[in-house]
Amino acid sequence: MLVEVRAAGIQPGEAHIREGALHARRPATFPSGQGSDLAGVVVECGPHVRGFRVGDDVLGFTHRRAGHAQYVLVDDVHLVSRPAGLPREVAGAL
């Protein structure tokens, strides 16, 4: 799915990745994206996506270190619908 990111977060482990402290387990080559957690709106769905449609508000994560990009490709199994009343700024950090 293609998600337009509206809010994103950085977890402590991701800061350690950027510092190189976790290089043995999670090597990073630079330049590199950053951030895994995100909240946004679905703008495109692939043919095998189930349970979501264009325009849905979602939150979740990506393993591609791309949560801070404007648009991110995310596997549908890594997303859930954003609950009503949960601000995007909070959802982007969950």
Side-chain angles (χ1 to χ4, degrees):
M1 295 176 17
L2 182 64
V3 176
E4 180 181 3
V5 177
R6 302 282 177 89
I10 288 282
Q11 299 298 328
E14 293 168 325
H16 294 308
I17 289 169
R18 300 263 329 149
E19 294 169 348
L22 300 176
H23 187 74
R25 286 190 354 219
R26 302 217 186 255
T29 56
F30 299 100
S32 171
Q34 68 182 37
S36 298
D37 303 330
L38 60 97
V41 177
V42 176
V43 293
E44 287 186 33
C45 292
H48 300 292
V49 171
R50 300 290 179 257
F52 295 100
R53 63 179 182 229
V54 171
D56 283 352
D57 243 319
V58 295
L59 67 99
F61 68 95
T62 175
H63 287 299
R64 297 182 176 128
R65 294 184 186 149
H68 289 187
Q70 185 175 0
Y71 294 92
V72 179
L73 288 173
V74 184
D75 294 331
D76 58 352
V77 297
H78 295 153
L79 294 172
V80 297
S81 296
R82 183 172 63 93
L86 180 66
R88 278 195 182 116
E89 295 80 12
V90 174
L94 291 176

